[in-house]
Amino acid sequence: MQIREGAIAVNGTPTLFYGGELPYFRVRDEEGDEKRTWLLWEDRLRQMKAAHMNLVATYVPWDYHELEEGRFDFSGVRDLRKFLGMCHAHRFYVHLKPGPLITAEWPRGMGTFGAVPAWWKEKHPEALVRRADGSVFKFFPFTRSDQAQPTYLHPAYLSSVRKWFAAVAPIIREYIFEKPTIVFLQIDNETNFYWGDVLGDVDWSETSLAGYRALVQERYGRPDGKPPEELPMGDELSGNMAVADWFDYLRQYTQEYQLTLRGYWEELGISESSVLFTTNDSPFGLPGREVLLPDHARKNRVGLHGLDTYPKMIPLNGALFDQPFQPDYHAVRFREASAERFGEPGALLAAEIQGGMFSLPLGIRTEVTPAQTNQLIAKLVGRGMAAGSFYVAAGGINADGSDYDYQALIGRNGKRHPRFEAVAKWGSFLNRQKDRLLASRDLPAQVGLLVSRAYETPAGGMDIPPAWLASIGYPGLYGLLLHAGVAVKIIEAEDANASDFAPLPVVFFANPGFLTAHTAGVLGRYVEGGGTLVNFLSATAQDRDGSRASEHDAYAALFSGSRFLRFRNAGFLGSRAIARVNDSDVRVSLAGHSSGVVPLAGARPFLWKKSLWPGRRGEVLGYEQEWKRGRVIYVGADFFSVYNSGGLYGLSVAERTAHRDLIRGWIESAGVRPALTASDPRDLVWIRRTAGGFFVYWIRGSEGGASMVQLTGKRCAKSDGDPVRDLLGGWYGTCLRDGLIELSLPANDVAVLWVPNP
């Protein structure tokens, strides 16, 4: 297994992997009959093959196979070897996920968290995760006691994990070496401390605290360390570095745990010469919890870091997606983060593509529709997906016999969900176009979007929650730029240097209220050298602990030239603003935060709070200012995060047009022409190119009907009026003249056009 030029190669052959989760332990006969269970496996595999899939993913639950200490059962309905043999016979590749942790709402549905055996937890209470008050941590307070979880590096836990792996290894070795089937091997699952609040819930066990104190001792020379229970989290900045230390330690702790697990597999003779190790994360938090967000650099050192994307989770709100640009933005970040270890341009593993959603208490459901699935696949394939798997492809039953009703592509009864057709359509497309797709690349970047790992850690005394910015705000800003038709390069602030900025006339940055010294330096030198910086939200010349470094002082005028007032929620009266766009005043809504600014002499305001008095403008919210050889555009308002929320679908055409025209005005004045222009601002259109031509991905807006896209600097290579076929089938675009394509699509539908070079 190798990763080369963005593709994952099997025996030297670049392969595009497309499949879904088939949990053999859930797809079983209710009465435990092995032959009827095997027939169910056979049926689900055949149906997945009918969807043009070539990849099966499955967990291997520890508690399902080690029923008592030392007694392993891999027979009958638990016959893992039989299941892998069926996958091999149907010519599927397998992504095997033997834990030891699997999440998966196993063993009894929502609120349970598998699959460390209950008998093990009962025997080893000293090895369980503790909350700050010393009590045992559980995901939900009302869940059963057997849903407590082990701390990662406790010796008793690791010893038992080693035995679990040793029991699995002889079975899977056959399907790695003798009958090559297993190509991916996951190192644990969503190893982010059980979705717990790390500032109070996890992990305050003695095993964890010992490591934290060692880190503090090494970092600060304190013999006893500073216990994390003293972490201050109020409005003061003084506690922020303690919080940062705690988060940094937990990331190190997670990496050490995953490297330990990988080492166990290597001791058993299974290494990356024969399989590709993987890790995975969901790049979002939970309300009221400060969770660990993806740690790309460390996790890619363990295995290819896979994206779990679930953009639709909130029930009953009517929005197509709750986080529309979660898949787009994080697909690019995950893909590019893998490049450091696996080479440019990196490889995107969509480890879990939302294939449904469990029901909430009282029968409340989050409906996942064919339109959502259709668009989600387009967003991942159109960002260069090398491998992807739906969670879940087939429903089944939990350990207690209850229904695992996940709205799966194939239901518990074997019937296909309406989304199955969309998945099969994409499977056919991927099979036909796999070589071109694997060779396709993004357009050359026109603007930069600066992001920072430092903003993934919560902090007190900040106007904007950094973790919110990392998981919600930046994807929204990325989505706004895509709607403006520009090609975006995501730049990691911690690793940025002059070469990252040099070819980019404009860089966008959403500032939560602090700058690391390195970030202040690279941005300051960029503007000083003639670049345009679009600075949203806040301006500051200090770090998150209130300190100032030489870089802050050198560019203090750049970041503090305007006096940003304290941010506040937009509220009822302040939810709208007036923007000056193309010499006209246009009303725009603010997503949630706004702040007045005091322009410097010579500044050119372009955004004002809406006044209560008709015909008047309120306080200034944004202006642009020349600075040395460059330019700074200050925007003391948030109108971008709505692009990563359900509120996107409520924006009017006029507001979307205003947002788009503001972005285009800034970049065009810096000499950048958008890569494309959609006639309907609700359409999302982007391009990936190959040596022979380019793919045009087109997601139609909520109204449907005819729409046009002007491609800058591209030619149709066809005569005026000639058709351009949608590769997904059913629709045809028309070349009206060079670079202009017309297409008629139903509302929220998707097309992929292939336009050959002239």
Side-chain angles (χ1 to χ4, degrees):
M1 294 292 294
Q2 294 176 310
I3 295 178
R4 293 201 309 260
E5 299 181 350
I8 301 170
V10 180
N11 296 324
T13 302
T15 304
L16 204 163
F17 299 91
Y18 181 69
E21 193 90 13
L22 176 52
Y24 68 94
F25 51 94
R26 277 188 163 121
V27 179
R28 66 180 194 276
D29 178 65
E30 296 180 34
E31 298 177 359
D33 183 271
E34 63 183 45
K35 292 184 178 180
R36 288 198 293 267
T37 294
W38 297 345
L39 288 174
L40 291 176
W41 294 350
E42 180 77 17
D43 173 77
R44 303 309 186 261
L45 288 169
R46 289 185 182 277
Q47 293 206 56
M48 290 175 69
K49 187 63 72 172
H52 307 282
M53 293 180 170
N54 64 351
L55 178 68
V56 167
T58 185
Y59 294 110
V60 184
W62 179 6
D63 60 352
Y64 188 63
H65 292 286
E66 190 175 7
L67 306 179
E68 299 173 1
E69 186 171 11
R71 183 171 74 86
F72 295 94
D73 186 352
F74 288 97
S75 64
V77 297
R78 293 177 169 83
D79 195 337
L80 176 61
R81 181 177 277 106
K82 178 78 172 180
F83 178 75
L84 293 174
M86 287 184 176
C87 292
H88 176 74
H90 284 280
R91 302 180 68 182
F92 278 101
Y93 296 109
V94 170
H95 188 176
L96 199 74
K97 305 190 287 186
L101 302 171
I102 72 168
T103 322
E105 299 81 51
W106 175 264
R108 284 178 295 277
M110 183 186 176
T112 59
F113 199 119
V116 179
W119 59 259
W120 187 92
K121 298 172 191 176
E122 185 177 350
K123 182 178 180 180
H124 297 284
E126 78 286 356
L128 300 179
V129 171
R130 300 282 167 173
R131 301 182 70 251
D133 62 8
S135 62
V136 174
F137 164 76
K138 292 183 291 184
F139 181 72
F140 291 126
F142 53 82
T143 52
R144 295 166 39 141
S145 60
D146 62 7
Q147 288 309 299
Q149 301 298 333
T151 186
Y152 297 150
L153 291 179
H154 195 282
Y157 175 59
L158 293 178
S159 175
S160 297
V161 169
R162 199 174 207 158
K163 294 174 183 176
W164 162 238
F165 286 0
V168 173
I171 298 172
I172 68 174
R173 190 178 286 115
E174 176 183 355
Y175 291 96
I176 294 174
F177 300 107
E178 299 169 28
K179 303 174 182 177
T181 303
I182 299 171
V183 292
F184 303 116
L185 185 65
Q186 187 185 80
I187 304 296
D188 214 48
N189 181 70
E190 292 181 351
T191 313
N192 61 2
F193 287 97
Y194 310 104
W195 293 96
D197 186 345
V198 300
L199 294 178
D201 284 348
V202 294
D203 178 5
W204 303 65
S205 65
E206 277 305 311
T207 302
S208 173
L209 293 183
Y212 173 77
R213 294 184 183 112
L215 176 141
V216 172
Q217 179 180 352
E218 178 181 354
R219 185 167 290 180
Y220 301 108
R222 298 171 182 165
D224 56 353
K226 184 178 181 180
E229 55 263 35
E230 295 179 8
L231 293 176
M233 274 299 291
D235 290 333
E236 300 301 320
L237 297 174
S238 59
N240 287 336
M241 297 316 294
V243 173
D245 288 342
W246 178 236
F247 268 66
D248 190 46
Y249 164 67
L250 292 179
R251 292 185 178 108
Q252 291 183 31
Y253 186 59
T254 301
Q255 182 187 37
E256 183 179 353
Y257 165 63
Q258 290 188 319
L259 286 173
T260 299
L261 299 185
R262 173 174 167 149
Y264 291 164
W265 286 117
E266 291 171 335
E267 290 173 3
L268 292 165
I270 298 172
S271 67
E272 280 202 337
S273 61
S274 50
V275 296
L276 187 64
F277 290 124
T278 69
T279 61
N280 66 305
D281 272 309
S282 293
F284 53 87
L286 294 178
R289 296 191 175 189
E290 297 290 358
V291 304
L292 285 186
L293 293 173
D295 185 4
H296 301 294
R298 288 192 177 102
K299 291 199 171 181
N300 270 303
R301 294 180 194 127
V302 179
L304 178 61
H305 193 202
L307 167 67
D308 297 353
T309 180
Y310 292 85
K312 178 60 186 176
M313 298 187 72
I314 302 174
L316 308 178
N317 66 355
L320 190 67
F321 290 120
D322 305 312
Q323 294 187 30
F325 283 94
Q326 177 199 102
D328 307 74
Y329 171 79
H330 291 291
V332 174
R333 285 204 75 191
F334 274 70
R335 186 193 75 205
E336 294 185 347
S338 71
E340 181 178 350
R341 180 180 172 206
F342 298 103
E344 295 287 353
L348 172 59
L349 166 63
E352 292 185 22
I353 304 171
Q354 183 169 17
M357 181 54 60
F358 48 72
S359 295
L360 299 170
L362 305 178
I364 299 174
R365 294 171 64 90
T366 299
E367 295 292 340
V368 183
T369 66
Q372 292 162 354
T373 299
N374 200 23
Q375 290 193 19
L376 179 55
I377 305 173
K379 287 167 172 279
L380 296 171
V381 172
R383 306 299 169 202
M385 185 181 80
S389 177
F390 289 92
Y391 188 89
V392 290
I397 55 179
N398 297 313
D400 60 358
S402 59
D403 190 5
Y404 189 56
D405 179 17
Y406 205 84
Q407 306 172 54
L409 301 178
I410 307 166
R412 173 181 173 180
N413 59 4
K415 292 185 178 180
R416 297 174 180 178
H417 190 280
R419 287 179 290 108
F420 186 95
E421 182 179 346
V423 171
K425 176 180 66 176
W426 277 95
S428 175
F429 164 73
L430 296 176
N431 276 325
R432 288 182 281 110
Q433 298 290 331
K434 57 182 179 294
D435 293 335
R436 280 179 178 166
L437 291 168
L438 290 173
S440 67
R441 298 290 182 267
D442 296 329
L443 290 179
Q446 297 176 293
V447 302
L449 172 58
L450 189 71
V451 301
S452 173
R453 293 189 292 274
Y455 304 148
E456 296 174 358
T457 300
M462 296 291 119
D463 299 318
I464 303 297
W468 167 87
L469 185 59
S471 62
I472 303 296
Y474 275 126
L477 182 50
Y478 184 73
L480 172 58
L481 294 174
L482 293 183
H483 270 289
V486 294
V488 185
K489 177 182 181 179
I490 298 175
I491 303 171
E492 301 283 347
E494 283 74 16
D495 307 318
N497 54 50
S499 63
D500 294 310
F501 290 85
L504 301 172
V506 185
V507 169
F508 291 80
F509 177 54
N511 187 336
F514 73 88
L515 286 171
T516 64
H518 179 71
T519 303
V522 294
L523 286 177
R525 289 186 290 274
Y526 168 71
V527 178
E528 194 173 45
T532 294
L533 171 65
V534 182
N535 187 112
F536 281 95
L537 298 183
S538 183
T540 183
Q542 64 180 15
D543 213 323
R544 63 181 147 197
D545 62 352
S547 66
R548 294 168 64 96
S550 59
E551 291 90 341
H552 294 106
D553 292 332
Y555 300 105
L558 173 62
F559 296 109
S560 298
S562 63
R563 182 172 64 85
F564 273 57
L565 307 179
R566 185 166 180 82
F567 274 68
R568 52 192 176 274
N569 190 278
F572 176 72
L573 294 177
S575 62
R576 299 191 69 81
I578 297 174
R580 190 68 175 169
V581 183
N582 297 330
D583 298 324
S584 299
D585 284 354
V586 180
R587 293 182 181 183
V588 296
S589 61
L590 304 181
H593 299 278
S594 67
S595 175
V597 301
V598 179
L600 297 177
R604 299 181 294 276
F606 62 84
L607 187 68
W608 301 263
K609 181 160 283 190
K610 185 177 181 295
S611 173
L612 295 177
W613 300 100
R616 294 187 182 181
R617 299 166 175 168
E619 60 186 330
V620 175
L621 295 177
Y623 68 89
E624 55 181 304
Q625 173 76 42
E626 308 301 326
W627 193 80
K628 296 192 176 180
R629 294 174 56 197
R631 179 177 56 149
V632 180
I633 298 171
Y634 288 109
V635 188
D638 166 19
F639 58 78
F640 56 83
S641 66
V642 68
Y643 282 77
N644 196 38
S645 77
L648 172 63
Y649 306 102
L651 288 179
S652 68
V653 172
E655 284 187 297
R656 289 205 188 198
T657 302
H659 294 160
R660 183 178 70 179
D661 289 350
L662 273 173
I663 299 294
R664 288 183 168 178
W666 298 334
I667 67 170
E668 287 175 354
S669 63
V672 178
R673 292 181 63 199
L676 52 86
T677 302
S679 61
D680 188 334
R682 293 166 297 190
D683 286 5
L684 180 65
V685 188
W686 70 98
I687 297 171
R688 279 180 69 84
R689 59 196 170 92
T690 71
F694 52 94
F695 292 100
V696 180
Y697 293 86
W698 197 325
I699 298 178
R700 189 69 175 97
S702 56
E703 292 299 319
S707 184
M708 291 186 291
V709 168
Q710 178 72 56
L711 308 176
T712 303
K714 300 291 183 183
R715 297 181 60 194
C716 280
K718 288 177 176 287
S719 300
D720 189 3
D722 281 355
V724 182
R725 186 165 182 264
D726 170 21
L727 298 177
L728 294 176
W731 310 106
Y732 287 86
T734 303
C735 281
L736 299 182
R737 55 184 178 272
D738 285 350
L740 185 63
I741 299 176
E742 184 179 47
L743 183 69
S744 183
L745 280 174
N748 298 317
D749 206 350
V750 175
V752 182
L753 307 178
W754 169 251
V755 181
N757 290 329

